[in-house]
Amino acid sequence: MIFREVEDRDLISKARKGDVEAYNLLVSRWERRVFNYLLRLTNGRREDAQDLSQDVFLKAYQNLGKLDDPAKFAGWLFRIAHNEAYSMLRKNRPDDAEITFDPVTADASLGSGGRMFPVELSLAVQRALERLNPDQREAVLLKVYQGFKFEEMAEILEIPVSTVKSRLYTALDLLKTTLTPLSTR
Amino acid sequence: MACQAIDIKAYALNEVSPAERNEAELHLKTCAECREEFVRLEFVQSALMTGLREEEPPRRIAFVSDKVFEPTWWQRFWASGSRVGFAGAGLLSTAILVHAFTRPPTIIQQAPPVPAAAVAQVSEQEIQKRIDAAVLKAVARIESKQDLNVQQVLAAAEKKYDMERQALALVVDQNQLLQMENRKMYVQSAGLVKQ
């Protein structure tokens, strides 16, 4: 990670001077993470996530000069991604289906003998995440999947650290009740 | 539920200072509730990481050169390696001009003869300086090209590794599905035998 941070700094510096190839290399390093983050925010809509990813990287390129500290590129990039995703979701709000909670399938922790096979685990995780509200789900995505610290998440989401912790802790409590087998509850 | 002596969630999420980590580890040795809570939190994180695999974007994103984004000719020149030589030449020219306009008038008299050896030495020094500057410039250009090549090769290798890893994950998934089917058949056949 340290090696990559130094490399990213060089690429950012070159991209700022108009080196498009350097920027393309930077994009190739980050596009998968950004795409997957946006994919979860858009409830699995791949084309929306793809379109948003392109918008994010275009906006990032146009605003590279405003990035004060290249070491904070990851958080800065994800803040752009967060803002773009929420702009799109607000525009599409009338078309978005409400997340409904189906009590029959809610308890996804049971497998045969309490063990879960990988396909079932994947479904269970998806259902568990769908039970969270969008803010809680995003907190989990940024912390567990993207590995950001509380302070970085606060910058990305533009909220206090205490709010980040509150959302994340509530999300973990909900996920525990959904995912852990009955014997360990 | 865990006791409130430590922030067990912060500890499980690796958001504690070294001192807080020591305190938490000591506490976990004596508190069964917190230990249980910690195990649950670890399980949840592990399940989340295992249950949701990263997907490849459907299409790669790449930008092409566009005049809107290109720097002006001045920005390109100033960012290039020759700016050092340009700056030096600029300073020298300025110094010459300033000296030419500000020097006091001189009385014309026969100038003392300049030794031939001194003239030859100055010329040789100037020539050597120019050669050194040109060599430095060429070396810097080659090194920056090599760096770019290395970066491109590394990026290509990373992409290839990612694709291979995904292919392997797919094979593992399929294998596990087959195992699941086998178990189902075993259970069904066990049911038939009992009858």
Side-chain angles (χ1 to χ4, degrees), chain A residues 9-44:
Chain A
R9 194 174 290 150
D10 292 336
L11 293 174
I12 290 164
S13 168
K14 285 181 183 168
R16 274 176 171 166
K17 291 168 192 165
D19 187 340
V20 178
E21 285 314 308
Y23 188 68
N24 281 335
L25 190 54
L26 192 64
V27 167
S28 70
R29 288 182 181 177
W30 289 95
E31 61 178 340
R32 198 168 180 220
R33 279 181 66 177
V34 168
F35 172 76
N36 278 277
Y37 168 67
L38 292 168
L39 189 64
R40 309 300 167 211
L41 286 186
T42 55
N43 293 324

Side-chain angles (χ1 to χ4, degrees), chain A residues 4 7 17 24-25 31-32 36 40 46-47 50 117-118 122 143 145 149-150 169 173 176 184, chain B residues 7 9 14-15 37 40 48 51 53 55-56 58-61 63 71 155 158 166 176 183:
Chain A
R4 180 161 281 201
E7 289 281 339
K17 291 168 192 165
N24 281 335
L25 190 54
E31 61 178 340
R32 198 168 180 220
N36 278 277
R40 309 300 167 211
R46 300 186 94 235
E47 282 307 313
Q50 177 71 30
F117 299 114
S122 181
K143 182 64 192 160
Y145 291 104
K149 293 287 181 188
F150 287 156
Y169 286 12
D173 286 334
K176 261 187 319 179
T184 62
Chain B
D7 186 348
K9 287 191 177 77
N14 201 23
E15 286 275 1
E37 177 71 2
R40 278 197 286 265
L48 287 172
R53 222 171 263 121
E55 291 187 35
E56 278 295 327
R59 292 178 298 282
R60 289 282 173 207
I61 297 169
F63 292 85
E158 274 180 13
Q166 275 170 25
Q176 284 166 344
R183 283 195 193 97

Side-chain angles (χ1 to χ4, degrees), chain A residues 3-4 7 10-11 14 17-25 27-29 31-33 35-36 39-40 46-47 50-51 53-54 57-59 61-62 115-123 125-126 128-129 140-141 143-146 148-151 153 165 168-170 172-173 175-176 179-181 184-185, chain B residues 1-2 7-16 36-37 39-41 43-66 68-72 75-76 79-80 83 144 147-148 150-152 154-156 158-159 162 165-166 172-173 176-177 179-180 183-184:
Chain A
F3 174 73
R4 180 161 281 201
E7 289 281 339
D10 292 336
L11 293 174
K14 285 181 183 168
K17 291 168 192 165
D19 187 340
V20 178
E21 285 314 308
Y23 188 68
N24 281 335
L25 190 54
V27 167
S28 70
R29 288 182 181 177
E31 61 178 340
R32 198 168 180 220
R33 279 181 66 177
F35 172 76
N36 278 277
L39 189 64
R40 309 300 167 211
R46 300 186 94 235
E47 282 307 313
Q50 177 71 30
D51 291 342
S53 298
Q54 276 179 278
F57 284 108
L58 177 60
K59 198 160 255 191
Y61 184 78
Q62 290 170 331
R115 290 188 59 220
M116 294 170 67
F117 299 114
V119 172
E120 289 175 0
L121 179 63
S122 181
L123 286 172
V125 164
Q126 283 177 22
L129 286 172
V140 170
L141 293 177
K143 182 64 192 160
V144 177
Y145 291 104
Q146 301 300 336
F148 286 110
K149 293 287 181 188
F150 287 156
E151 287 74 20
M153 288 168 66
K165 285 171 84 168
L168 193 54
Y169 286 12
T170 308
L172 285 173
D173 286 334
L175 289 169
K176 261 187 319 179
L179 291 175
T180 52
T184 62
R185 282 188 195 173
Chain B
M1 287 294 289
D7 186 348
I8 190 68
K9 287 191 177 77
Y11 174 68
L13 293 169
N14 201 23
E15 286 275 1
V16 289
E36 212 176 292
E37 177 71 2
V39 166
R40 278 197 286 265
L41 289 168
F43 175 82
V44 165
Q45 289 187 82
S46 173
L48 287 172
M49 290 303 291
T50 312
L52 270 191
R53 222 171 263 121
E54 271 201 338
E55 291 187 35
E56 278 295 327
R59 292 178 298 282
R60 289 282 173 207
I61 297 169
F63 292 85
V64 294
S65 282
D66 191 307
V68 173
F69 307 122
E70 272 179 13
T72 59
Q75 286 171 323
R76 254 181 273 128
S80 71
R83 66 175 167 172
S144 74
D147 280 350
L148 193 60
V150 164
Q151 282 167 10
Q152 282 170 350
L154 274 175
E158 274 180 13
K159 268 187 199 172
D162 273 346
R165 192 167 59 85
Q166 275 170 25
V172 166
D173 269 349
Q176 284 166 344
L177 269 171
Q179 283 180 5
M180 200 166 74
R183 283 195 193 97
K184 273 189 192 162

Side-chain angles (χ1 to χ4, degrees), chain A residues 40 43 99 129-130 132-141:
Chain A
R40 309 300 167 211
N43 293 324
I99 294 169
L129 286 172
E130 281 165 16
L132 306 176
N133 70 34
D135 291 338
Q136 291 162 349
R137 187 163 53 243
E138 190 173 15
V140 170
L141 293 177

